Amino acid sequence: MPIFTYKAKNISGQQISGTIEAENVQSVTKQLREKGYFPSSITSDEKKDTLLNKLNLFRNKTVKHKGLVIFTRRLADSLKGGLQLTRALNVISNQTENPELSKISKEIAIAIQEGKSLSEALKTYPAVFSTMYVSMIHAGETAGVLDIVLSRLADFNEREEELRFRINSALAYPVIMLFVGLASVIFLLSFVIPRFEVMFQDLGQSLPLPTKILLFLSHILRYYWWLYIPVIIASIVFIKKWSATEKGKNFISNLTLKTPLTGIFIKKDIISRFIRMLSLLLVNGVPILKALDIAKNSIDNKIFSADIERVYKDVKEGLGLSKSLQKSSLFPPLIAEMISIGEETGNMETSLTRIAESYEREVEYAIKTMTSLLEPVIILFAGLVVCFIALSMLLPVFQVSSGLR
């Protein structure tokens, strides 16, 4: 249905404006009058509306996870402090430093004033508010505990943000080392090796294979550097398109889980996020099947998503969650056993929370282990490269020295 922009006055004579979805102008007028509004103008431009929707979708991508964390916490605290929902959203809109999030907060407040629920208003921004987020808000609205649900969501998002910060901090040093090593190799191949090449030519002897390889790499870097730009761009485009295919997604998902050092960490991180998400959804009254469906769609790894899809089908057919997880090769048996205890005692949410906390600690240990192993691996790799370069440059000298003897 088309979207109409309107201007109207409410009962107190205050000028308001907004958008509304309807079949025609008459339907818009009827909806406004039912709300007690007196419309002064109603316009529709489908092309303009389509363009604005695309632009909104693009701008929504600029709202980072940290901004969502701050928005959720402020909204939860405002509702706990006794502020009405629309008033709280307007306060957040005026206080937030992110212009896009400020705009979204104001638009959500307007939508609520028009009669929409908070969950319905959030659905308009799928690039900002995930399915899990909207489902939990809807559950909170239904149970009348929106402030409690928002507090739990804020805790969940803050925990994820803290984990991201720890991962980025842990990987910062190895990444810097890698880039410094790469820059050093490029400098050697571009400026140092050419000077030795002149000396090698004056020797007038056949060069060893490592030296020929080194000179070949130096020539490619110096004389064909312009080829790197289109090759890199073409590679990025190809990888992006291929990774969007089903085959590409499965390959990348399988590769990330089996990669040495990082694979164990990624697997534990996915399990931790899935269990925490499932626990949070169930605690807030979301049915088990819907919770599994939301969790499945929130996991980026296709291998895990397919396994959770199998669990979803098993539970739908009447099999218990623990028994379904026992058939999985991705989830450790301990998880199924703890969930089984929760099912027997009727307190599965608590069991899931304990599992999530346990795995979050394991993720932290995995981060420390991964970074402690990555550093020596990078140093070893950089040392081998430098050793190859030094040996390649010295071999012709040794060859001449042995010839003189």
Side-chain angles (χ1 to χ4, degrees), residues 184-198 200-201 209-226 228 388-389 392-393:
S184 301
V185 171
I186 292 173
F187 175 77
L188 288 173
L189 291 175
S190 303
F191 300 101
V192 178
I193 302 302
R195 298 189 180 186
F196 278 85
E197 184 179 4
V198 176
F200 296 154
Q201 290 173 351
L209 181 60
T211 308
K212 289 180 179 179
I213 294 173
L214 188 66
L215 293 177
F216 174 72
L217 294 174
S218 178
H219 283 180
I220 292 176
L221 188 62
R222 282 185 295 149
Y223 300 118
Y224 301 99
W225 59 268
W226 51 271
Y228 285 82
F388 171 77
I389 293 173
S392 300
M393 289 189 296

Side-chain angles (χ1 to χ4, degrees), residues 75-99:
L75 186 58
D77 292 344
S78 298
L79 293 181
K80 278 190 173 182
L83 285 180
Q84 290 185 346
L85 183 56
T86 52
R87 173 63 178 160
L89 287 165
N90 285 322
V91 170
I92 293 171
S93 175
N94 295 328
Q95 290 181 350
T96 184
E97 297 176 357
N98 188 314

